[in-house]
Amino acid sequence: MRADPCHCNRFEDELAALLTTRHASDDGEAREALFAALSRLERQALIAGAADPTLYKIAEARFLVGILRDAMRPLRIAPLRSLLRLAAETRCVVEGEPA
């Protein structure tokens, strides 16, 4: 049994509020917080029995924010000098030469 329309509108209003307040943040912590807030909202809506279209909207927003969150994560790249030194050490070990 699904919740009444007023109950579903509350979830959609909360979704809109979350997306408008935090949509333009370049801060990684803010993106993480938005993803967590959308996950909580999705759980609450599911438990409350929100209508399928409402659940789909929340799930889609959470999915897209998750993609953005993962895409914007800084990648740790080792300096070229360290990679070359590691390659030389590995080559020496494989060939049996002292490093």
Side-chain angles (χ1 to χ4, degrees):
M1 178 142 186
R2 294 288 175 204
D4 63 20
C6 294
H7 197 67
C8 291
N9 287 341
R10 179 182 69 92
F11 291 117
E12 290 185 19
D13 291 343
E14 195 170 335
L15 172 65
L18 282 171
L19 293 177
T20 56
T21 58
R22 300 183 187 165
H23 78 282
S25 178
D26 288 337
D27 181 22
E29 291 179 11
R31 286 190 301 273
E32 292 286 341
L34 177 57
F35 183 80
L38 289 170
S39 295
R40 280 191 302 274
L41 180 63
E42 186 177 18
R43 278 191 305 275
Q44 290 171 354
L46 190 60
I47 290 169
D52 287 341
T54 300
L55 292 172
Y56 292 147
K57 288 177 189 177
I58 297 169
E60 183 178 29
R62 182 191 47 78
F63 176 74
L64 294 173
V65 167
I67 289 173
L68 177 64
R69 176 194 65 171
D70 292 342
M72 299 294 288
R73 257 189 204 140
L75 299 175
R76 300 198 194 304
I77 300 174
L80 181 58
R81 188 174 292 162
S82 297
L83 292 175
L84 292 174
R85 184 175 54 242
L86 180 62
E89 290 172 4
T90 304
R91 193 175 324 113
C92 290
V93 170
V94 170
E95 295 173 0
E97 300 173 13

